[in-house]
Amino acid sequence: MSEIFQNIPFVQYEGTESDNPFAFKHYDAKRVIMGKSMAEHLRMAACYWHNFCWSGSDVFGANTFDRPWNKPSNPLEAAKLKADAAFEFFSKLGIGYYSFHDVDVSPEGSSLKEYIRNFSEMVEVLQAKQETTGLKLLWGTANAFSHPRYMSGAASNPNPDIFTYAATQVFHAMNATHALKGENYVLWGGREGYETLLNTDLKRERAQLGRFMQMVVEHKHKIGFAGSLLIEPKPAEPTKHQYDYDTATVYGFLKEFGLEKEIKVNIEANHATLAGHSFHHEIATACSLGILGSVDANQGDAQLGWDTDQFPTSVEEYTLVTYEILKAGGFKTGGYMFDTKLRRQSTDLEDMFHAHIGAMDTLALSLQRAVKMIEGETLSKLVEQRYAKWNDTLGSDILSGKLSLQDLANYAVEHDLDPKPVSGRQEMLENMVNGYIYP
Amino acid sequence: MSEIFQNIPFVQYEGTESDNPFAFKHYDAKRVIMGKSMAEHLRMAACYWHNFCWSGSDVFGANTFDRPWNKPSNPLEAAKLKADAAFEFFSKLGIGYYSFHDVDVSPEGSSLKEYIRNFSEMVEVLQAKQETTGLKLLWGTANAFSHPRYMSGAASNPNPDIFTYAATQVFHAMNATHALKGENYVLWGGREGYETLLNTDLKRERAQLGRFMQMVVEHKHKIGFAGSLLIEPKPAEPTKHQYDYDTATVYGFLKEFGLEKEIKVNIEANHATLAGHSFHHEIATACSLGILGSVDANQGDAQLGWDTDQFPTSVEEYTLVTYEILKAGGFKTGGYMFDTKLRRQSTDLEDMFHAHIGAMDTLALSLQRAVKMIEGETLSKLVEQRYAKWNDTLGSDILSGKLSLQDLANYAVEHDLDPKPVSGRQEMLENMVNGYIYP
Amino acid sequence: MSEIFQNIPFVQYEGTESDNPFAFKHYDAKRVIMGKSMAEHLRMAACYWHNFCWSGSDVFGANTFDRPWNKPSNPLEAAKLKADAAFEFFSKLGIGYYSFHDVDVSPEGSSLKEYIRNFSEMVEVLQAKQETTGLKLLWGTANAFSHPRYMSGAASNPNPDIFTYAATQVFHAMNATHALKGENYVLWGGREGYETLLNTDLKRERAQLGRFMQMVVEHKHKIGFAGSLLIEPKPAEPTKHQYDYDTATVYGFLKEFGLEKEIKVNIEANHATLAGHSFHHEIATACSLGILGSVDANQGDAQLGWDTDQFPTSVEEYTLVTYEILKAGGFKTGGYMFDTKLRRQSTDLEDMFHAHIGAMDTLALSLQRAVKMIEGETLSKLVEQRYAKWNDTLGSDILSGKLSLQDLANYAVEHDLDPKPVSGRQEMLENMVNGYIYP
Amino acid sequence: MSEIFQNIPFVQYEGTESDNPFAFKHYDAKRVIMGKSMAEHLRMAACYWHNFCWSGSDVFGANTFDRPWNKPSNPLEAAKLKADAAFEFFSKLGIGYYSFHDVDVSPEGSSLKEYIRNFSEMVEVLQAKQETTGLKLLWGTANAFSHPRYMSGAASNPNPDIFTYAATQVFHAMNATHALKGENYVLWGGREGYETLLNTDLKRERAQLGRFMQMVVEHKHKIGFAGSLLIEPKPAEPTKHQYDYDTATVYGFLKEFGLEKEIKVNIEANHATLAGHSFHHEIATACSLGILGSVDANQGDAQLGWDTDQFPTSVEEYTLVTYEILKAGGFKTGGYMFDTKLRRQSTDLEDMFHAHIGAMDTLALSLQRAVKMIEGETLSKLVEQRYAKWNDTLGSDILSGKLSLQDLANYAVEHDLDPKPVSGRQEMLENMVNGYIYP
């Protein structure tokens, strides 16, 4: 195995004084802050697909990346060279985790049997790589959307054979994730959605999807997989409407099929904004429902209507998000996974490093700011005070179910209620937040 | 009581040959089609607020409408004159139903007691009007968002006194609706939402909202109100984020608080599009979840990011929506309510007629087209055929829960599955739909 | 040359009674209406690229179309088979025009010389096809955006060699269009835009683009090309920001470089809506500026933020657009070109026919409705009346430049002006339009 | 004159150590940086309208602000009390400039004569206030959109009397601005736009608007007003489409009417994003066209489709914008004007201070970061290098017009051109920017 990223050193923390573009300015992996190392708080992962499978094409143009690991004509050989490249990259970057789809790491082959054989062989390769490098698997998943057979969905396909094909992939991808000690298994609803309502039976497709997820839960328990199962919401793209639209929609679906204790969400920043929400909103909603699992840490373009999967650069945004996650107790099995791709014009191998270093520093700095917000306590106390009257008799009696609508109507007249609103103090709170971000 | 709409006749059906702008070209109320009269199918209602309370202001400009019924300085007197005007308008229009908020029909007064007294007096006025004219109440509701006390929400307010005030209004508005034989009671989440997450406790506010809705359900049963309870989704406006974002979100909320059998949705076309959905999508989703209650029939502007509440003009859109509703069995207690307002530049009294006549003709024509689509059966049969394989053994066994993920993985390998996708035929289906709309 | 669309007949007009899916219901090419045949009014064209080059891939999935004309491994042979297929399709469809990019019809080869040689050979093939079939070329263009060399733009590229490469392609594509008696030459700003302002010099790139367009104009006159030159606005995609954002932006650019008499616009419906405008707006704006050239007739998805290039189905939308074009005197060199692609799930060859037949019928019906609107005259007279006072002394003196701000201020005080607004009658006008669409 | 903001001190710079919410942490007005004081660089202004005229209403709710200066029933008396409050606020805030519309500062009265008399009296009041406090007028303007007479536009109105009325207001507002030594005069296209194309003649309305602007320019020269004339782009709201859509559209309009040397743009952040552009884009575009005049410094909500006019809090965004302005030579007559309003729930007088202090600190910090970016030179040098080849022979000859399309086509073949793309380095550049923002 020869070195692929030849002129690039192992990336180290050098602090803000450094002007070395291949060093971290803020991410000091082992530095302990609020009881845990930065690495343990952030649990950052790099992805296989955008970094090692995508070659820089877009809808209007051909590949612009010319990667050495795509050269071998033998698929398994190429997969192994790709694994070499991937683990060299992950290691030099000093990131603790990685994530993959089945077909990112292993060639599909020309039959299911070949798919299974290839996958099994590549899992051994990955196992060996993990041992050598110390890398860990944040999550695995199956790609049930790229092959033409999935053009009309996988679990929600009008053809049960295709449902079965997808189930087979998920079965093997779950087993692989388990074997590789993955800490989560993710289900992104690739093409589970519709292109036109004219040929779609929503109720039937939802039932198919519900049963699929129940099978996944049952299988998890059967094999004793200790990680979390996660659904990743997205509102559209590739389909016109995706069933896992956003966190609130997924929650309703989980409740409908009795899965709300079994499955959590993997929230992607850019999917949140495509759904018309702030990223902060999606995280806060998931936390308030108790279903936050993991985060696909990226950034969209506020002017574009598709998933741009950019590397996160906004400390202003990630501080608020990290604050929310810390308030909810921090990541358990999840982490910040970079579902991010280079701009198509960033064609050099070293751009992969610039991009990830910038992203990791953005999260590290956001973590530091968010910890100060937690430790400062001012923000959370102001929120508590705002609702303080709900701890008094009237408030408690309302929430406990003691009082009826009529009781309240009587109470209001008896007390001749005329409550006055009080300032919400939004601008003052925003100043406080900026005080933490720009100390 | 003198005539207000003096030069305007009672609107009649005259058919497409007529060039009388004050006649219906398509809406022939009593004409029977697919077993019911057009009036019974469509159950159309006009609203009190946009027609009789709003005076043509917008964020950047003052009132442009100069309505006679707003002249009296005594509030109760003005309310009665307004009721005269409203029922004259409804009657001349030949629409069967109307809808109102408490404070549309009755002055708030300077205390809760005065509010209750006024409301009670005005309910008697409305009762008399209904009897005289034969008009019926499609739904009533309470306005818990315009008064400054509600600036931070009603049920989700940080102050339980304000929750109680809102409960009082809803109590009286439900009772009034019951007294007036209203067929539904609607809850629109006015300011139930947040402006900034920095001062908001999502979990707590959702709990407050959940308890509020439970109380409403309990009260309905207590008074024996036979109509439906409806929540009206909207994603934003006036608040930055509204909790009743869309149908799927409301469904999750109902499931969380055990209300999914008790409350349905009132879908507004313009709210659907603001939430990033097609109107058709929201209707189809509600039908598939069994929670479609009623429809606020209006139309947004595809280029504008706020609720424009325009009168519906698109037969292309309403045919698909009506087709969906007919497939689901048609309206039960709900109907098509015109939550629509004149453009601010349409300042004449007769513009109110033009607008409603156009809207009613749009729905009547859409109904006729949709009935042909139902009767043609081609569309629904093509959808059934598309999923036909799910009725075979494999499909049935999957859905019945007989098979596990492992069973499917074994099945796939044993049968060496390699399923081929088949054309979704979207363009052919679109041609068929246009064949119905433009026969 | 064997038949490719084997079971598909030549499409004929059969009227609305027909239920033959391979017949026109509304498009009767030779029927004369308002002085011209429908074919002459609409000047419809099919495109080469979406129909014969794209194979059904999207960002998340592989090709789903398996087209016979892509089988030959020799590129020139494949190009000729593709031409056979294309002209068989165009002929059977009974459409009068087609359009292409250089590399749609001719293989790029491995050097510029080979590109030129291939293109020259294929132009002869196309010439022969045009003669045999009677098909005409609505417009030609060059693809200066798909090859990796264009990843940072063509004319606006930071490297003048790449500018030169693009100029070479445009030179040959213009000459080919001229040789094939094309009626227009189109320039779509593929990647003329930016991905990030951090590496972009806007002023410099605009100067490059300006000079490029001047060269194109000079070349047109040099070779005596009698057709129109057209720029096609688009706001984004593939770049984050495209310089030819919309019609108004292109107009400013043309004025800046003295080109407003030489270049017109080719407006695409889906680009209009991506730019935040209605399609109707873009057409009306171009007409009012005297720069409407041609139209890419397609339809976007109101919920999706990317170019979906769907086949037009909305008679409601196309009637208004066609009305605007007829008012401006109808198409001169331009026409309605279907820059439309099948949905990725519409995998059968016959779906190409369904889609185009539906689109052509949509335009034919829209034309008939629009002609009625023109002939009815009511709409245009109401608009004239609305501005009638501008023909009086005060209005004329203002517009002729006789009066200064001070003159007007004096006039206003002398006449104690207090002008009253009059109703804009929007809803009544909308009813009139629906009266024409649904007679 | 008694104190209105009674418990609020004069706001001082106290540095980041301070936890006084009524102190600046970053804005040190007199501190010199890159040759000018921070005050001279930023030229910040507060507005009259949102702070002293708006009372907290929105489309769905009544006023929530209860301001003492709105109590007097006599309009002129109220106007004077409002001026007291305004100048007390501006002074305590330590902001150097303010801005107003005619009717913000002076009652409209019941006739034009009264309007003129009131305005003249209030100009004297403002003059005296400016002298006492040292405040300066950044810009004045006329409100030709709130009164019902303007419901269908002012200059673009179908009635020339209304055009004349607007001209009268602008005449007096320009004269007032001149008398008060205002440094700019702004024209925002309030209702210059359309609600429906069905009743609109675009060409005619543009001609009216063009003549109006020419009159304004002529009047400026006549009275010797030395400030700048500015048009403020906005894409929509209150009208469906506003003619001054964005900077590029305004540029085309200026070119059409020969005004591009006479009128510049006043760019508002929130209008930029409503038009589908980044704020950065609009600023960079105006700079590259040489027409940047001034900036309305606010912030929109990325999820909302209307103008929220929030106070700027994002140092990340304002650093890039300020960098662009500094590169273009900094503000001349323009400045950063806070066209910002409190959230409707921020009901206390002190919220006005919190909001402006946060905004001023945001801009002050952004200025400091941007100055470092200028002084660092790295970013601008990388951009220059990217285009370096355009300074060689081929590039120069292209831009100078020496070469034709044919010359380039010959050159390409002779040199057998095959140019290779080079990385755009977007992520590395983003890291550099963050290096400046988070040093």
Side-chain angles (χ1 to χ4, degrees), chain B residues 105-124:
Chain B
V105 297
S106 165
E108 281 197 77
S110 56
S111 70
L112 259 180
K113 281 182 190 151
E114 199 179 330
Y115 160 84
I116 295 167
R117 205 161 48 230
N118 286 342
F119 200 6
S120 159
E121 186 168 341
M122 286 308 301
V123 165
E124 281 175 37

Side-chain angles (χ1 to χ4, degrees), chain A residues 194 199 205 281 386-387, chain B residues 157 194 199 205 281 386-387:
Chain A
Y194 63 81
N199 67 14
E205 296 204 356
H281 168 84
R386 193 166 178 245
Y387 296 89
Chain B
N157 200 288
Y194 64 80
N199 67 12
E205 296 205 355
H281 168 85
R386 194 166 177 243
Y387 295 90

Side-chain angles (χ1 to χ4, degrees), chain C residues 111-113 116 148-149 151-152 155-165 167-168 170-172 174 194-208 211-212 215-216 218-219 222 240-241 245-246 248-249 251-253 255-256 275-278 280-281 284-285 288-289 320 324 379 383 386-391 394-395 398-406 408-409 411-413 416-426 429-430 433, chain D residues 111-113 116 148-149 151-152 155-165 167-168 170-172 174 194-208 211-212 215-216 218-219 222 240-241 245-246 248-249 251-252 255-256 275-278 280-281 284-285 288-289 320 324 379 383 386-391 394-395 398-406 408-409 411-413 416-426 429-430 433:
Chain C
S111 69
L112 259 179
K113 279 180 191 151
I116 294 166
R149 81 173 64 87
M151 74 176 194
S152 308
S156 62
N157 199 287
N159 181 351
D161 285 356
I162 292 172
F163 179 105
T164 300
Y165 206 105
T168 306
V170 170
F171 174 81
H172 288 286
M174 286 181 74
Y194 65 79
E195 205 55 46
T196 174
L197 284 166
L198 295 179
N199 67 13
T200 304
D201 183 333
L202 286 181
K203 190 168 182 176
R204 194 189 269 278
E205 296 205 355
R206 202 168 52 242
Q208 294 174 205
R211 179 61 202 135
F212 195 93
M215 280 181 177
V216 166
E218 291 156 12
H219 187 64
K222 191 165 159 193
K240 182 242 185 315
H241 176 91
Y245 198 83
D246 59 6
T249 301
Y251 179 73
F253 168 81
K255 288 288 291 185
E256 186 178 1
H277 303 301
S278 69
H280 191 185
H281 169 84
T285 298
S288 78
L289 290 163
L320 289 173
E324 212 66 55
L379 283 163
V383 174
R386 193 166 178 244
Y387 295 90
K389 288 189 80 175
W390 279 97
N391 301 325
L394 178 64
I398 288 170
L399 290 177
S400 69
K402 265 195 200 161
L403 302 171
S404 71
L405 214 54
Q406 174 140 22
L408 292 183
Y411 178 100
V413 171
D416 197 15
L417 282 191
D418 187 17
K420 301 297 177 209
V422 295
S423 173
R425 288 266 183 276
Q426 180 166 340
L429 292 165
E430 289 168 351
V433 169
Chain D
S111 70
L112 259 179
K113 280 182 191 152
I116 294 167
R149 82 174 64 87
M151 74 177 193
S152 307
S156 62
N157 200 287
N159 181 351
D161 286 355
I162 291 172
F163 179 105
T164 300
Y165 206 105
T168 306
V170 171
F171 174 80
H172 288 286
M174 285 180 75
Y194 64 80
E195 205 57 44
T196 175
L197 284 166
L198 296 179
N199 67 13
T200 304
D201 183 333
L202 286 180
K203 190 168 180 175
R204 196 188 267 278
E205 296 205 355
R206 202 168 51 243
Q208 294 174 204
R211 180 60 201 136
F212 195 92
M215 280 180 177
V216 166
E218 290 157 12
H219 187 64
K222 192 165 159 193
K240 183 241 185 318
H241 176 90
Y245 197 83
D246 59 6
T249 301
Y251 179 73
K255 289 288 290 185
E256 186 178 1
H277 304 300
S278 69
H280 190 185
H281 168 84
T285 298
S288 79
L289 290 164
L320 289 173
E324 212 66 55
L379 284 163
V383 175
R386 194 167 177 245
Y387 295 90
K389 288 189 81 176
W390 279 96
N391 301 325
L394 177 64
I398 288 170
L399 289 176
S400 69
K402 264 193 201 162
L403 302 171
S404 71
L405 214 55
Q406 173 140 23
L408 292 183
Y411 178 99
V413 172
D416 197 15
L417 282 191
D418 187 16
K420 300 298 176 209
V422 295
S423 174
R425 288 269 183 275
Q426 180 166 339
L429 291 165
E430 289 169 349
V433 168

Side-chain angles (χ1 to χ4, degrees), chain A residues 111-113 116 148-149 151-152 155-165 167-168 170-172 174 194-208 211-212 215-216 218-219 222 240-241 245-246 248-249 251-253 255-256 275-278 280-281 284-285 288-289 320 324 379 383 386-391 394-395 398-406 408-409 411-413 416-426 429-430 433, chain B residues 111-113 116 148-149 151-152 155-165 167-168 170-172 174 194-208 211-212 215-216 218-219 222 240-241 245-246 248-249 251-252 255-256 275-278 280-281 284-285 288-289 320 324 379 383 386-391 394-395 398-406 408-409 411-413 416-426 429-430 433:
Chain A
S111 71
L112 260 179
K113 280 182 192 150
I116 295 166
R149 81 174 64 87
M151 74 176 193
S152 307
S156 62
N157 199 289
N159 181 351
D161 286 355
I162 292 173
F163 180 105
T164 301
Y165 205 105
T168 307
V170 170
F171 173 80
H172 289 286
M174 286 180 75
Y194 63 81
E195 205 56 45
T196 175
L197 285 166
L198 296 179
N199 67 14
T200 304
D201 183 333
L202 287 180
K203 189 167 181 174
R204 194 188 268 278
E205 296 204 356
R206 203 169 49 243
Q208 294 174 205
R211 180 61 201 134
F212 195 93
M215 281 181 176
V216 166
E218 290 157 13
H219 187 64
K222 190 164 159 195
K240 182 240 184 321
H241 177 89
Y245 197 83
D246 60 6
T249 302
Y251 179 73
F253 168 81
K255 288 288 290 183
E256 185 177 2
H277 303 302
S278 70
H280 190 185
H281 168 84
T285 298
S288 78
L289 289 164
L320 289 172
E324 212 67 55
L379 284 163
V383 175
R386 193 166 178 245
Y387 296 89
K389 289 189 79 176
W390 279 97
N391 301 325
L394 177 65
I398 289 170
L399 289 176
S400 68
K402 266 195 199 160
L403 302 171
S404 72
L405 214 54
Q406 175 140 22
L408 292 183
Y411 177 99
V413 171
D416 196 16
L417 280 191
D418 187 16
K420 299 300 175 208
V422 295
S423 174
R425 287 269 183 275
Q426 180 167 339
L429 292 165
E430 289 169 349
V433 169
Chain B
S111 70
L112 259 180
K113 281 182 190 151
I116 295 167
R149 82 174 64 87
M151 74 176 191
S152 307
S156 62
N157 200 288
N159 181 352
D161 285 356
I162 293 173
F163 179 107
T164 300
Y165 206 105
T168 307
V170 171
F171 173 81
H172 289 285
M174 286 181 75
Y194 64 80
E195 205 56 45
T196 174
L197 284 166
L198 296 179
N199 67 12
T200 304
D201 183 333
L202 286 180
K203 190 167 182 176
R204 193 189 269 277
E205 296 205 355
R206 202 169 51 244
Q208 294 174 205
R211 180 60 201 135
F212 195 93
M215 282 181 175
V216 166
E218 290 156 13
H219 187 65
K222 191 166 161 193
K240 182 238 183 324
H241 177 90
Y245 197 83
D246 59 7
T249 301
Y251 179 73
K255 287 290 289 184
E256 186 177 1
H277 303 301
S278 70
H280 190 185
H281 168 85
T285 298
S288 79
L289 289 164
L320 289 173
E324 212 66 56
L379 284 164
V383 175
R386 194 166 177 243
Y387 295 90
K389 289 189 79 176
W390 279 97
N391 302 326
L394 177 64
I398 289 170
L399 290 176
S400 70
K402 265 194 201 161
L403 302 171
S404 70
L405 214 54
Q406 174 139 24
L408 291 183
Y411 178 98
V413 171
D416 196 15
L417 281 192
D418 186 17
K420 300 300 176 207
V422 295
S423 175
R425 286 270 183 274
Q426 180 167 339
L429 292 164
E430 289 168 350
V433 168

